[in-house]
Amino acid sequence: LTGGSDLIWSLLIAYQVKHFVADYLLQGRWMLGKFKPYPDFILPLLAHSAVHGLFTLAIALYVRPELCWVSLVDLAVHFGVDRLKAAPSLGGRWKYHQPQYWYALGADQMAHHLCHYWIIWMLLTP
């Protein structure tokens, strides 16, 4: 990574790959317990969010080690956003054939990407 626009593009791509791998490839059946009611959702959702945080930690340690704390922000935001989407009394009450399901999923993904953009901005800001 050389800096400037090369670094921006590299981070944007890294976060797209990170999100795909952590949100889809590494989210196993047990982690889908995040859709369960309280308190059963806590450990599966924490594990899923921790995967996101660990990927962000790796990226931050490579780019700007002093900003490793942004990994905790990613973990916390992922936990909160996914819970809003998955809670049976909130976004989890809708099923894939209802428009509200897709609105909630789209809002969830947008929130994750906005968090990533903020992290990238932090990593690039002197």
PDB file of all heavy atoms in Angstrom, residues 47-59:
ATOM      1  N   ALA A  47     -20.123 -13.576  19.064  1.00  0.00           N
ATOM      2  CA  ALA A  47     -19.116 -14.300  18.273  1.00  0.00           C
ATOM      3  C   ALA A  47     -19.075 -13.777  16.842  1.00  0.00           C
ATOM      4  O   ALA A  47     -18.000 -13.532  16.284  1.00  0.00           O
ATOM      5  CB  ALA A  47     -19.414 -15.800  18.293  1.00  0.00           C
ATOM      6  N   HIS A  48     -20.244 -13.593  16.239  1.00  0.00           N
ATOM      7  CA  HIS A  48     -20.320 -13.074  14.868  1.00  0.00           C
ATOM      8  C   HIS A  48     -19.705 -11.672  14.793  1.00  0.00           C
ATOM      9  O   HIS A  48     -18.905 -11.381  13.898  1.00  0.00           O
ATOM     10  CB  HIS A  48     -21.782 -13.057  14.412  1.00  0.00           C
ATOM     11  CG  HIS A  48     -21.992 -12.386  13.104  1.00  0.00           C
ATOM     12  ND1 HIS A  48     -21.450 -12.862  11.928  1.00  0.00           N
ATOM     13  CD2 HIS A  48     -22.674 -11.265  12.773  1.00  0.00           C
ATOM     14  CE1 HIS A  48     -21.811 -12.067  10.933  1.00  0.00           C
ATOM     15  NE2 HIS A  48     -22.548 -11.081  11.423  1.00  0.00           N
ATOM     16  N   SER A  49     -20.037 -10.829  15.740  1.00  0.00           N
ATOM     17  CA  SER A  49     -19.514  -9.465  15.757  1.00  0.00           C
ATOM     18  C   SER A  49     -18.011  -9.454  16.017  1.00  0.00           C
ATOM     19  O   SER A  49     -17.284  -8.610  15.480  1.00  0.00           O
ATOM     20  CB  SER A  49     -20.247  -8.643  16.817  1.00  0.00           C
ATOM     21  OG  SER A  49     -21.631  -8.609  16.548  1.00  0.00           O
ATOM     22  N   ALA A  50     -17.544 -10.391  16.833  1.00  0.00           N
ATOM     23  CA  ALA A  50     -16.110 -10.483  17.122  1.00  0.00           C
ATOM     24  C   ALA A  50     -15.318 -10.857  15.869  1.00  0.00           C
ATOM     25  O   ALA A  50     -14.188 -10.382  15.690  1.00  0.00           O
ATOM     26  CB  ALA A  50     -15.857 -11.491  18.235  1.00  0.00           C
ATOM     27  N   VAL A  51     -15.892 -11.674  15.003  1.00  0.00           N
ATOM     28  CA  VAL A  51     -15.219 -12.003  13.739  1.00  0.00           C
ATOM     29  C   VAL A  51     -14.999 -10.718  12.940  1.00  0.00           C
ATOM     30  O   VAL A  51     -13.903 -10.471  12.418  1.00  0.00           O
ATOM     31  CB  VAL A  51     -16.030 -13.043  12.928  1.00  0.00           C
ATOM     32  CG1 VAL A  51     -15.465 -13.203  11.521  1.00  0.00           C
ATOM     33  CG2 VAL A  51     -16.053 -14.377  13.654  1.00  0.00           C
ATOM     34  N   HIS A  52     -16.031  -9.889  12.878  1.00  0.00           N
ATOM     35  CA  HIS A  52     -15.889  -8.601  12.187  1.00  0.00           C
ATOM     36  C   HIS A  52     -14.811  -7.752  12.852  1.00  0.00           C
ATOM     37  O   HIS A  52     -13.970  -7.156  12.177  1.00  0.00           O
ATOM     38  CB  HIS A  52     -17.224  -7.851  12.169  1.00  0.00           C
ATOM     39  CG  HIS A  52     -18.161  -8.363  11.140  1.00  0.00           C
ATOM     40  ND1 HIS A  52     -18.132  -7.937   9.832  1.00  0.00           N
ATOM     41  CD2 HIS A  52     -19.156  -9.282  11.211  1.00  0.00           C
ATOM     42  CE1 HIS A  52     -19.061  -8.565   9.147  1.00  0.00           C
ATOM     43  NE2 HIS A  52     -19.705  -9.388   9.959  1.00  0.00           N
ATOM     44  N   GLY A  53     -14.846  -7.686  14.171  1.00  0.00           N
ATOM     45  CA  GLY A  53     -13.859  -6.900  14.904  1.00  0.00           C
ATOM     46  C   GLY A  53     -12.440  -7.398  14.683  1.00  0.00           C
ATOM     47  O   GLY A  53     -11.505  -6.605  14.560  1.00  0.00           O
ATOM     48  N   LEU A  54     -12.265  -8.712  14.612  1.00  0.00           N
ATOM     49  CA  LEU A  54     -10.923  -9.271  14.398  1.00  0.00           C
ATOM     50  C   LEU A  54     -10.383  -8.944  13.006  1.00  0.00           C
ATOM     51  O   LEU A  54      -9.189  -8.658  12.856  1.00  0.00           O
ATOM     52  CB  LEU A  54     -10.930 -10.778  14.641  1.00  0.00           C
ATOM     53  CG  LEU A  54     -11.046 -11.191  16.105  1.00  0.00           C
ATOM     54  CD1 LEU A  54     -11.267 -12.695  16.221  1.00  0.00           C
ATOM     55  CD2 LEU A  54      -9.804 -10.760  16.874  1.00  0.00           C
ATOM     56  N   PHE A  55     -11.246  -8.985  12.003  1.00  0.00           N
ATOM     57  CA  PHE A  55     -10.802  -8.588  10.659  1.00  0.00           C
ATOM     58  C   PHE A  55     -10.399  -7.120  10.643  1.00  0.00           C
ATOM     59  O   PHE A  55      -9.377  -6.754  10.051  1.00  0.00           O
ATOM     60  CB  PHE A  55     -11.894  -8.854   9.615  1.00  0.00           C
ATOM     61  CG  PHE A  55     -11.880 -10.243   9.064  1.00  0.00           C
ATOM     62  CD1 PHE A  55     -12.816 -11.172   9.474  1.00  0.00           C
ATOM     63  CD2 PHE A  55     -10.945 -10.631   8.117  1.00  0.00           C
ATOM     64  CE1 PHE A  55     -12.825 -12.464   8.965  1.00  0.00           C
ATOM     65  CE2 PHE A  55     -10.939 -11.919   7.598  1.00  0.00           C
ATOM     66  CZ  PHE A  55     -11.881 -12.837   8.020  1.00  0.00           C
ATOM     67  N   THR A  56     -11.204  -6.280  11.287  1.00  0.00           N
ATOM     68  CA  THR A  56     -10.853  -4.864  11.344  1.00  0.00           C
ATOM     69  C   THR A  56      -9.573  -4.652  12.129  1.00  0.00           C
ATOM     70  O   THR A  56      -8.753  -3.809  11.773  1.00  0.00           O
ATOM     71  CB  THR A  56     -12.026  -4.046  11.932  1.00  0.00           C
ATOM     72  OG1 THR A  56     -13.075  -4.028  10.956  1.00  0.00           O
ATOM     73  CG2 THR A  56     -11.627  -2.620  12.246  1.00  0.00           C
ATOM     74  N   LEU A  57      -9.373  -5.417  13.179  1.00  0.00           N
ATOM     75  CA  LEU A  57      -8.130  -5.325  13.941  1.00  0.00           C
ATOM     76  C   LEU A  57      -6.935  -5.634  13.046  1.00  0.00           C
ATOM     77  O   LEU A  57      -5.927  -4.915  13.065  1.00  0.00           O
ATOM     78  CB  LEU A  57      -8.157  -6.277  15.140  1.00  0.00           C
ATOM     79  CG  LEU A  57      -6.886  -6.315  15.993  1.00  0.00           C
ATOM     80  CD1 LEU A  57      -6.602  -4.953  16.618  1.00  0.00           C
ATOM     81  CD2 LEU A  57      -7.016  -7.402  17.063  1.00  0.00           C
ATOM     82  N   ALA A  58      -7.038  -6.687  12.245  1.00  0.00           N
ATOM     83  CA  ALA A  58      -5.934  -7.045  11.348  1.00  0.00           C
ATOM     84  C   ALA A  58      -5.638  -5.923  10.356  1.00  0.00           C
ATOM     85  O   ALA A  58      -4.476  -5.573  10.118  1.00  0.00           O
ATOM     86  CB  ALA A  58      -6.256  -8.344  10.614  1.00  0.00           C
ATOM     87  N   ILE A  59      -6.693  -5.342   9.789  1.00  0.00           N
ATOM     88  CA  ILE A  59      -6.501  -4.253   8.831  1.00  0.00           C
ATOM     89  C   ILE A  59      -5.884  -3.044   9.524  1.00  0.00           C
ATOM     90  O   ILE A  59      -4.926  -2.442   9.023  1.00  0.00           O
ATOM     91  CB  ILE A  59      -7.846  -3.890   8.155  1.00  0.00           C
ATOM     92  CG1 ILE A  59      -8.338  -5.059   7.286  1.00  0.00           C
ATOM     93  CG2 ILE A  59      -7.702  -2.608   7.327  1.00  0.00           C
ATOM     94  CD1 ILE A  59      -9.784  -4.933   6.825  1.00  0.00           C
TER      95      ILE A  59
END
